[in-house]
Amino acid sequence: MASVLGIGRPGVALMNRTQGDPVISLQDVEKRFGRKKVIDELCLDVYPGQFISLFGPNGAGKTTLLRIMSGQLGVDNGWIDSRSGTLKRSLTGFISHQVMLYPDLTGFENLEFYARLHSVPNPADAANRMIKRINLDSDASRYVRNYSRGMLQRLSLGRALINDPEILFLDEPFTGLDRQGAEFLAEILNQGHSGGKTILMATHDLRSGYDLSDRILVMTRGRISMDFSTRDLEFSGFVSSFEEVSGR
Amino acid sequence: MRKAAGITVALIIKDLKLEFRSPRAFLTTGFFAVTTLVMFSFAFDPGDPGIRSALPGILWAALLFPGVIQLNNSFRTEQENDVFGGVLLTPVDRGVLFLGKCAANFILLFLTDLLVFAAFALIFNAPVDAGYIWLLLLFLPVNLAFSSAGTILAGMVSRLPSREVLLPVILFPVITPVLIIAVNATGEIFAGPAGDTLFSWLKMSTASGLLFCGAGYLLFEYIVED
């Protein structure tokens, strides 16, 4: 099991069959909030084009890890080498359970605003194209305050994709979505993955996470306790291993 | 440079749209300012020539406290949906973010100044003449200092639960020298034709405004980043 899961040296299990240098590399990273160590000597390499699902119980450090990798949080110890650092924010997109949209702007205005901040050429055109891609054309001129949860999540997806990022971070993107919304999100993510984007997604949805991704990480107490390719382990085996590792 | 200017304009337009679509802060600010002036008009007889020396203080007191409401609100709109977190995920230079936010606050504070001054002139029977153009000129650098210092400090406390109490506590000591300049300059304007003393106050207020604005541009990154 250890060779499949890569326990003890996360990233090693997939390293041999992955091309190119990692887009994100973490070495012995530690992060504390007050006295609590949230990330504990974590090592991880993320390679171009990988779709990684990150699982773990609440408080395991998934969101903190995504925020560190996306350059939102600094680290207390260790080092991080990434394309998503301060100078490369134009290459990344981030979706969280917070939609990061202005309620008193319309859907179109929100996307156009973010396109301008990303210095996307012709921001209005880019916003219009994205509005169509996320199927919100008929609601583009409505204030975001009046959007449903599913519409907000779509618009949030549009916000994160407006700069056509190479690396996409998703924190619990399926939260609050109905079946149709979840299917739409999965379709967009599949398109992105097929297009060569690197995707890291923290989720509690074992089935969706397993089906979408090609690499699975399980975190417990700030460390990676499982790291394997979905080609090497069936879903049922993953579920039983996950329950064992996370103490369920 | 052109890119930074374009982004600054986008940030200003966004803030003004948000404010005028839901003008809670502007209305609260204006209402509070006018109420303050009305209270002063009951405390001091507006017809009494003896209160002339108190008028600059009354005017700036009516401008200062409502201004804090405006500054607090400027970051409150950024907290909803963690939208400021989304803005920080973009590659925009943090100094440019500061300039956009500061400029929007400057414009809104200037509009408040005009409203309050109109109410002030009405309530205290201030004869509006050509000399008052100097007062409008004085509003510019003082507002620059106030909005710059306020934007830095409001950004600093924006994620704290007690931000509305904390902001005035840390802002007033910082901005007091500028207020002293403003009150003295206003006294000069009310006293009669512009002279060298007024120009000195104007130069000092301009220097203060530029100093606070420059400091905000350089420091904002350290304030908003982890």
Side-chain angles (χ1 to χ4, degrees):
Chain A
M1 180 69 92
S3 63
V4 173
L5 302 182
I7 292 172
R9 182 64 180 89
V12 170
L14 296 178
M15 200 173 281
N16 293 337
R17 66 175 85 100
T18 312
Q19 298 289 317
D21 295 328
V23 283
I24 303 172
S25 187
L26 287 84
Q27 284 295 322
D28 301 320
V29 164
E30 276 186 25
K31 179 70 186 174
R32 290 171 184 273
F33 291 128
R35 287 183 180 178
K36 191 181 180 194
K37 197 184 275 186
V38 183
I39 300 292
D40 187 8
E41 293 182 4
L42 188 142
C43 299
L44 176 68
D45 288 329
V46 177
Y47 291 91
Q50 283 190 330
F51 192 139
I52 299 177
S53 282
L54 193 58
F55 296 102
N58 289 332
K62 304 184 294 295
T63 298
T64 304
L65 179 60
L66 286 184
R67 294 187 69 201
I68 287 172
M69 287 195 286
S70 61
Q72 295 177 65
L73 277 180
V75 298
D76 295 324
N77 270 316
W79 57 267
I80 173 166
D81 181 17
S82 78
R83 292 190 198 172
S84 56
T86 309
L87 297 175
K88 301 288 186 182
R89 285 197 175 94
S90 55
L91 300 177
T92 65
F94 193 97
I95 297 175
S96 111
H97 43 271
Q98 293 279 8
V99 292
M100 299 175 176
L101 298 163
Y102 290 98
D104 289 320
L105 294 185
T106 66
F108 171 79
E109 285 171 341
N110 267 288
L111 291 188
E112 190 193 22
F113 173 69
Y114 277 106
R116 283 188 194 281
L117 295 195
H118 279 287
S119 300
V120 174
N122 300 319
D125 291 346
N128 269 323
R129 281 197 302 275
M130 185 55 72
I131 283 279
K132 284 185 183 127
R133 188 175 165 199
I134 55 177
N135 292 340
L136 284 175
D137 344 17
S138 55
D139 298 291
S141 56
R142 284 175 62 195
Y143 289 143
V144 163
R145 189 175 290 288
N146 302 321
Y147 277 26
S148 68
R149 176 69 198 172
M151 290 160 75
L152 282 173
Q153 201 68 338
R154 278 190 208 185
L155 194 61
S156 179
L157 189 63
R159 171 191 58 72
L161 294 173
I162 193 79
N163 57 327
D164 194 22
E166 282 182 22
I167 309 169
L168 191 58
F169 300 93
L170 302 106
D171 187 13
E172 307 287 359
F174 292 100
T175 305
L177 289 184
D178 58 14
R179 193 176 147 203
Q180 196 184 359
E183 284 173 1
F184 178 80
L185 176 63
E187 187 189 322
I188 293 276
L189 294 179
N190 264 327
Q191 284 173 11
H193 188 209
S194 309
K197 291 193 190 308
T198 307
I199 302 175
L200 291 105
M201 176 173 73
T203 180
H204 288 291
D205 188 335
L206 298 185
R207 183 78 250 184
S208 298
Y210 181 90
D211 288 345
L212 284 167
S213 54
D214 47 28
R215 183 178 173 189
I216 300 281
L217 301 176
V218 177
M219 286 187 76
T220 45
R221 290 185 290 275
R223 288 170 176 256
I224 292 175
S225 44
M226 288 174 71
D227 179 359
F228 65 93
S229 162
T230 49
R231 281 176 294 186
D232 295 336
L233 193 61
E234 292 291 325
F235 180 68
S236 54
F238 158 58
V239 172
S240 54
S241 300
F242 174 73
E243 286 174 348
E244 190 182 321
V245 168
S246 61
R248 289 188 179 183
Chain B
M1 188 70 174
R2 186 178 292 177
K3 197 171 94 174
I7 290 172
T8 307
V9 170
L11 288 162
I12 295 169
I13 291 172
K14 178 265 297 175
D15 270 354
L16 295 181
K17 271 183 187 172
L18 290 174
E19 181 54 44
F20 289 112
R21 282 180 186 172
S22 176
R24 284 167 293 196
F26 191 68
L27 290 177
T28 311
T29 304
F31 183 75
F32 186 37
V34 172
T35 307
T36 307
L37 287 173
V38 170
M39 283 196 301
F40 276 126
S41 77
F42 282 108
F44 304 101
D45 179 7
D48 180 3
I51 68 152
R52 279 191 75 84
S53 59
L55 288 179
I58 292 172
L59 176 63
W60 284 101
L63 288 170
L64 175 68
F65 296 110
V68 177
I69 299 174
Q70 183 65 52
L71 291 170
N72 257 323
N73 182 68
S74 71
F75 275 92
R76 189 184 55 75
T77 54
E78 304 287 349
Q79 298 305 315
E80 204 170 349
N81 295 337
D82 190 26
V83 73
F84 197 57
V87 172
L88 291 178
L89 284 166
T90 65
V92 177
D93 182 273
R94 279 36 184 154
V96 174
L97 283 183
F98 167 79
L99 290 180
K101 182 60 80 183
C102 179
N105 281 332
F106 176 86
I107 292 168
L108 291 168
L109 285 171
F110 190 71
L111 293 176
T112 309
D113 288 351
L114 296 181
L115 175 77
V116 173
F117 179 64
F120 173 82
L122 200 68
I123 292 170
F124 287 92
N125 300 320
V128 181
D129 56 34
Y132 282 90
I133 194 78
W134 293 109
L135 195 58
L136 294 181
L137 284 179
L138 177 67
F139 283 156
L140 298 174
V142 174
N143 266 349
L144 181 63
F146 191 67
S147 56
S148 299
T151 302
I152 305 169
L153 298 174
M156 199 184 281
V157 300
S158 63
R159 297 185 187 196
L160 301 175
S162 53
R163 57 185 173 270
E164 291 181 3
V165 178
L166 264 179
L167 181 60
V169 170
I170 58 174
L171 176 63
F172 289 164
V174 173
I175 206 72
T176 295
V178 181
L179 284 174
I180 292 170
I181 293 170
V183 169
N184 281 307
T186 308
E188 288 290 324
I189 293 166
F190 287 169
D196 287 346
T197 317
L198 175 61
F199 293 134
S200 298
W201 290 125
L202 280 172
K203 281 181 199 165
M204 285 170 73
S205 60
T206 305
S208 306
L210 293 174
L211 188 71
F212 279 118
C213 190
Y217 180 81
L218 296 172
L219 294 175
F220 203 59
E221 177 176 2
Y222 303 100
I223 287 164
V224 296
E225 299 285 351
D226 172 54

